[in-house]
Every structure is written in C-alpha cells, then in structure tokens.
C-alpha cells in the first residue's frame, strides 16, 4: 500500500519566526530527517494569509501577523526545504486551519488506489489536528498516523491534548 507524507505548515514563521518555539525548531529538525528518508508522495501545506490578516476573523483572535504570502515567514523553513531538495512534492496553500482542498484531493486519489497518510508539522494543536480530523471525516477507512516527534504545539500541554484528541478519533499517534 502506498504512503503519503503530509507536511503541515512547516514554515519559517511557525518554526523560528513570529510564532516559533524551541519545540518547533526541534520538530523541524526531526521532520527534515524523516522527509529525507521518505519514499513516496509528499504534500506540504502552507498557511497563507494576505496583508489584511489583522482584519480577518483569525487575525482578530490571534493578532500576530504570520505567513503573509510572499514574505520570508511564509516560506517553508530552511531545514525542511533542504530535506525536500530534489524530491517532487505538491504544495497546497490554505487560508485556514484545515484544508478542505487537501481532503478532497486525497479522497479522489483514494478511489483509484487506497493508501496510508502520515502527518507531521505545526502546530499540533491547531493545523495538524484540524487536517487529521478532516482527513478522517473524508476518508474514514484510511489509516492515518501522526508522528508526534515531528510535531510541536503552541505549548507542550496543548500538543499533548491534541495528540489525545486524535487518538480518541482513531488516528494513530507514533513517536510520542
């Protein structure tokens, strides 16, 4: 069975930029190692906001401009970019936490040939959990795994809470 690696929002602003943490820096390092050794289809999501971010519903709740398209903070983090060097991958921009486009594309692909999906990325407690749950809703029979060692949350406590939520929803959690 084929495997797909989904790299969720491993962008500079989430690793060591506007919303970065020391846990995210370590997760990015571990993710780069996983990406380098991965054989199969790779998809990278990109949290994508415009200059009007602070006027959006999200911006009003989290008034920290981040991942503004075209800025250095929007780009994949250097360690992840280097790991992807020479590997074909698909980038999917998303304006909110979970990507319906990702779920729809994988749902169509599943019809041709079932596969497994593994998610890594940032932030465990926002975008990783949102995408994992969307995928589970669209593809309830698909095996979905999240590698906790290649993820980081806003805080260690909320990272753990998101992992527990995913476990309760029949998403496998490895590396924790």
């Amino acid at each position: 069975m084929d495997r797909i690696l989904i790299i969720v929002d491993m962008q500079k602003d989430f690793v060591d930029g506007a919303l970065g943490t020391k846990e995210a820096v370590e997760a990015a390092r571990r993710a780069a190692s996983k990406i380098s050794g991965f054989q199969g289809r790779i998809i990278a999501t990109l949290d994508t906001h415009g200059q009007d971010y602070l006027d959006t519903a999200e911006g009003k709740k989290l008034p920290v401009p981040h991942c503004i398209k075209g800025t250095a903070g929007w780009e994949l983090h250097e360690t992840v970019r280097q790991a992807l060097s020479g590997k074909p991958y698909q980038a999917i921009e998303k304006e909110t936490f979970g990507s319906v486009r990702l779920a729809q594309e994988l749902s169509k692909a599943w019809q041709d040939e079932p596969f497994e999906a593994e998610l890594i990325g940032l932030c465990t407690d926002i975008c990783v959990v949102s995408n994992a749950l969307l995928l589970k809703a669209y593809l309830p029979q698909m095996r979905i795994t999240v590698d906790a060692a290649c993820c980081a949350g806003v805080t260690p406590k909320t990272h753990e809470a998101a992992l527990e939520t995913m476990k309760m929803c029949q998403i496998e959690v490895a590396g924790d």
Side-chain angles (χ1 to χ4, degrees):
M1 181 173 285
D2 286 341
R3 293 177 55 227
I4 294 178
L5 180 64
I6 301 167
I7 306 163
V8 179
D9 300 354
M10 280 286 200
Q11 294 159 271
K12 180 165 180 42
D13 273 347
F14 289 127
V15 177
D16 57 11
L19 296 170
T21 64
K22 64 181 173 35
E23 292 85 6
V25 170
E26 187 58 29
R29 185 189 62 73
R30 288 190 296 267
S33 179
K34 178 178 280 286
I35 293 163
S36 294
F38 186 80
Q39 299 297 316
R41 182 174 175 193
I42 300 174
I43 299 172
T45 68
L46 297 168
D47 192 44
T48 303
H49 301 293
Q51 295 296 330
D52 65 341
Y53 172 75
L54 293 175
D55 296 324
T56 66
E58 180 183 327
K60 290 176 182 168
K61 298 269 187 189
L62 177 65
V64 179
H66 64 280
C67 298
I68 307 299
K69 188 172 182 172
T71 66
W74 177 75
E75 299 290 330
L76 287 171
H77 191 267
E78 181 62 27
T79 57
V80 172
R81 215 171 40 241
Q82 286 177 359
L84 286 167
S85 179
K87 289 183 176 277
Y89 71 95
Q90 176 185 5
I92 294 180
E93 293 180 18
K94 59 184 195 54
E95 296 176 358
T96 188
F97 308 134
S99 174
V100 171
R101 179 178 162 208
L102 172 66
Q104 289 172 334
E105 283 189 23
L106 293 184
S107 185
K108 287 177 190 170
W110 175 269
Q111 294 171 10
D112 295 332
E113 181 75 32
F115 51 85
E116 298 177 0
E118 181 174 11
L119 284 78
I120 60 175
L122 306 169
C123 294
T124 319
D125 43 355
I126 303 173
C127 294
V128 175
V129 69
S130 295
N131 283 287
L133 292 174
L134 263 174
L135 290 174
K136 194 61 162 171
Y138 271 77
L139 294 156
Q141 300 307 314
M142 181 172 67
R143 181 175 184 227
I144 301 171
T145 304
V146 172
D147 186 340
C150 296
C151 296
V154 174
T155 69
K157 182 178 177 180
T158 57
H159 167 78
E160 290 299 325
L163 295 175
E164 286 303 312
T165 296
M166 289 185 277
K167 287 177 188 176
M168 294 303 296
C169 293
Q170 301 176 359
I171 294 164
E172 295 178 36
V173 175
D176 60 350

